Amino acid sequence: MASSSLHRLPRNVPEATLDTPDTKSKILDAAEELFMEHGFEATSLRLITTAAGVNLAAANYHFGSKDELFQAVLTRRLDPMNQDRMRLLSAYETAAGNQPLTCEKILAAMFIPALKLARDHEQGGKNFLRLLGRAYADPAPFIREFLSHQYSEMIARFRVAFSKALPHIPREELSWRLHYVMGALSYTLAGTDVLK
């Protein structure tokens, strides 16, 4: 997140303005909505701070840059969802014992937490999933690198589960199939009428 130098108080900004408990949440909520609506490139920090009702110094203080703010928007929702995915996959694997999981069970572990999130308006609901779809489809290299690095462990776990379920499929082909499934899901989530 923001470096320690960014946590120094900017000139002429009262400390209370920056450190109120919900300032950070207001910025994250506004950023989530605007990034979803306009995409990363078309959304400025000034637009976000105006929508959040805070000053630009507060966004710089809490996040440092638009890139870091975008990452924070994603991680506050994605981290819990992906932890749920891993827990569900582990629970299915434990229940299966020494038998490989079916593809249906693996896909359920991948999709059930996402569908649960889609119904939870407190956690961003369907709008966050639309933002996630846009993020996966965004051409900005830092977004792809961030998502790839941040969630490589989760993706690796699902790849291993699929390779056990489908041992006859070569590893490279399996990777492409998983990539295709994630791409199709991202494209669907990015649509405006995803839940229809």
Side-chain angles (χ1 to χ4, degrees):
M1 285 304 199
S3 68
S4 58
S5 66
L6 293 171
H7 287 285
R8 282 190 225 120
L9 194 60
R11 279 189 214 137
N12 303 323
V13 179
E15 188 169 349
T17 303
L18 298 175
D19 250 354
T20 55
D22 57 7
T23 297
K24 194 170 183 178
S25 292
K26 283 180 181 178
I27 296 168
L28 286 167
D29 290 343
E32 183 174 284
E33 173 108 10
L34 291 167
F35 284 139
M36 184 268 303
E37 195 175 319
H38 303 291
F40 176 76
E41 289 299 328
T43 304
S44 68
L45 274 179
R46 191 165 300 284
L47 186 63
I48 293 166
T49 55
T50 300
V54 302
N55 59 42
L56 192 57
N60 290 327
Y61 174 79
H62 286 291
F63 301 102
S65 71
K66 186 170 86 165
D67 290 8
E68 289 173 299
L69 174 56
F70 191 78
Q71 291 173 12
V73 165
L74 292 178
T75 57
R76 80 169 172 161
R77 309 281 194 221
L78 272 181
D79 284 0
M81 182 181 72
N82 285 329
Q83 288 164 5
D84 285 349
R85 285 172 160 169
M86 300 272 271
R87 276 193 292 273
L88 193 53
L89 184 62
S90 293
Y92 288 155
E93 287 171 335
T94 299
N98 292 330
Q99 297 299 312
L101 293 178
T102 63
C103 289
E104 290 80 7
K105 284 286 189 190
I106 301 166
L107 289 170
M110 189 179 286
F111 296 142
I112 287 173
L115 294 172
K116 185 177 156 191
L117 178 64
R119 293 183 185 111
D120 187 346
H121 299 293
E122 294 293 313
Q123 296 302 313
K126 65 181 181 181
N127 285 339
F128 175 73
L129 291 181
R130 283 182 55 208
L131 171 62
L132 181 58
R134 284 192 80 145
Y136 275 109
D138 197 292
F142 98 89
I143 295 174
R144 288 188 181 171
E145 287 170 22
F146 168 74
L147 289 170
S148 174
H149 175 74
Q150 187 79 5
Y151 303 107
S152 59
E153 180 187 344
M154 186 267 303
I155 291 167
R157 282 273 284 115
F158 277 88
R159 186 179 290 123
V160 167
F162 276 119
S163 68
K164 288 179 182 175
L166 303 164
H168 58 285
I169 296 179
R171 180 181 166 88
E172 186 176 350
E173 184 178 337
L174 191 61
S175 291
W176 278 112
R177 288 184 184 195
L178 184 55
H179 179 74
Y180 175 79
V181 167
M182 294 304 289
L185 177 62
S186 299
Y187 179 79
T188 302
L189 294 177
T192 55
D193 59 354
V194 61
L195 294 181
K196 291 179 187 175

